[in-house]
Amino acid sequence: MFGHLQELDQLQQLLERFPLPNLQTRTLATVETAKKTYPILGLTLGNPDPSAPTLFLVGGVHGLEKIGSQVLIAYLAVLFRQLTWDEHLQELFKKVRICTIPILNPGGMAHSRRSNPNGVDLMRNAPVESLSSNRPWLIGGQRLSPRLPWYRGPEGAPLEREAQTLIDFAKENCLTAKTCLAIDFHSGFGMRDRLWYPYAKTQEPFPKLKEAMALKTLLDLTYAHHVYKIESQSDSYTTHGDLWDYLFEIHESSPLYRDHLFLPWTLEMGSWTWLKKNPLQILSPHGLFHPMKLHRYSRVMRRHILLIDFFLKATAHSSSWSPR
Ligand SMILES: [Zn+2]
C-alpha cells in the first residue's frame, strides 16, 4: 500500500479517468521514507516506436518545488481530455510520443524537502564535475553533509535510486528518438520565468547551441509576447552533478545516437515575483517555491500549458526549424 501524496493522487485519478489506448503507465521504482513507500510513475503516450519524435517531461525533481509537478499534471489533464475529441491531435500522436515522469522525487515531496529521503539533491547527484569559476560555494553542490542543502551524495557511491530511474527511463524511451526535446520543471530562482539550455557544469558553449537558438527563434517568432528569458543555465550559475548534463554527455558520446537531436531544457519558474507581491508567503514552507494566491496559481497553470504545447509541436515538426 503506497503512501498518499496530493500530486500522486491527482495523477492516479487522471489515469483512471482517461484509459487512453495509446497510454502506458509503469511503476519504474519505489522509494521508502521512514514510514511510507511511494512509487515513481513513468508514462508513455502516443507512437510506441522509441525512435519517434519524443517530448520528455519531468517534474518534482526537487520535492519542495511541487508547482512543477502540478503544472505537468495540469497539462496532462488538458491533453488527455483533448485526445478524447480532437481528431487532429489523435493524428499527431500517431507520429509523436510524450514520455514523462511527473513526480521523480515523491519521498522528498511528501516530506517537503528539496532533497530525496537520503538528503541528496538529485540535481547534484550525477557523476559530472564542474570546473567552472562561477560555481557558487554550497549551491554548486557539496559533499560536506546531507544535512546541508545541495548535497551530492557520498563520493563514488552509485546514483540515487530516483536519479538512476530517470537515466534508465531516458535511455529506454527518449535518447532512442531521432528528435527528443525535454523539459524539466523547477521553481524558485529569480524574478522571471527562465528557459535554460545546458550546460550547468561550465560556461563553455553548449555543442547544440545552434539548435537551441533555432528553437528560441521559433518561439520568439510564434509567440512574440512570450514571457520566457531564454539562456544557458551557466549564465545564472554552474553546478556539479547536473543530471541533464550527464544525459546529454551519454547521448553525445554514443555512436547509436549519431544524427539524433537531444535538447534538454529546464523551465525555472521565477517565484521571487510571487514573493514580492505577497511577502507573507515566505512564512509558508512552500512559499519560496509556490504561488499561494489562487489567481496567481491559475495564471501559472495557464501560461506554461501553452509552452508545453509549443514544445510538442516543435518536437513533431523539427525538420521545419532545426538547422540539421
Ligand atoms: Zn529545482
Side-chain angles (χ1 to χ4, degrees), residues 47-112:
N47 188 342
D49 178 355
S51 70
T54 298
L55 178 61
F56 183 25
L57 303 172
V58 177
V61 171
H62 290 136
L64 260 180
E65 302 167 17
K66 292 156 83 80
I67 189 76
S69 291
Q70 291 174 6
V71 165
L72 216 167
I73 293 164
Y75 170 72
L76 294 178
V78 171
L79 181 67
F80 291 176
R81 174 62 69 188
Q82 274 187 308
L83 277 169
T84 65
W85 57 265
D86 183 335
E87 290 177 16
H88 280 124
L89 198 62
Q90 291 163 3
E91 277 304 307
L92 182 69
F93 272 88
K94 289 181 184 163
K95 182 178 169 182
V96 297
R97 62 208 302 258
I98 282 184
C99 298
T100 173
I101 303 178
I103 308 161
L104 183 71
N105 179 12
M109 201 171 283
H111 288 236
S112 299

Side-chain angles (χ1 to χ4, degrees), residues 8 10 32 37-38 54 61 64 96 103 126 132 134 169 178 193 203-204 209 215 264 305 313 316 319 323:
L8 207 48
Q10 275 174 359
E32 293 89 37
T37 301
Y38 299 91
T54 298
V61 171
L64 260 180
V96 297
I103 308 161
S132 164
N134 81 333
F169 184 79
K178 294 234 164 66
D193 293 333
Q203 289 183 302
E204 298 288 312
L209 187 62
L215 191 66
I305 284 171
K313 289 176 182 156
S319 59

Side-chain angles (χ1 to χ4, degrees), residues 61-62 65 114 123 185-187 268:
V61 171
H62 290 136
E65 302 167 17
R114 174 182 169 93
M123 242 346 122
F185 295 80
H186 289 255
S187 63
E268 187 70 48

Side-chain angles (χ1 to χ4, degrees), residues 105-151:
N105 179 12
M109 201 171 283
H111 288 236
S112 299
R113 294 174 67 169
R114 174 182 169 93
S115 69
N116 76 352
N118 296 334
V120 176
D121 184 332
L122 299 172
M123 242 346 122
R124 305 289 184 274
N125 187 225
V128 174
E129 295 297 312
S130 166
L131 300 173
S132 164
S133 57
N134 81 333
R135 186 183 65 256
W137 185 64
L138 295 182
I139 294 175
Q142 54 85 17
R143 287 215 165 96
L144 300 171
S145 165
R147 291 174 205 280
L148 294 170
W150 309 292
Y151 180 57

Side-chain angles (χ1 to χ4, degrees), residues 160-209:
E160 291 296 303
R161 186 174 302 162
E162 298 87 344
Q164 190 63 56
T165 300
L166 175 76
I167 301 296
D168 292 345
F169 184 79
K171 280 183 176 170
E172 188 184 339
N173 295 287
C174 309
L175 301 190
T176 48
K178 294 234 164 66
T179 301
C180 177
L181 302 186
I183 312 177
D184 182 16
F185 295 80
H186 289 255
S187 63
F189 180 85
M191 298 290 285
R192 290 184 63 180
D193 293 333
R194 289 174 152 79
L195 262 175
W196 282 337
Y197 54 85
Y199 286 117
K201 65 176 179 181
T202 176
Q203 289 183 302
E204 298 288 312
F206 175 50
K208 290 282 187 279
L209 187 62

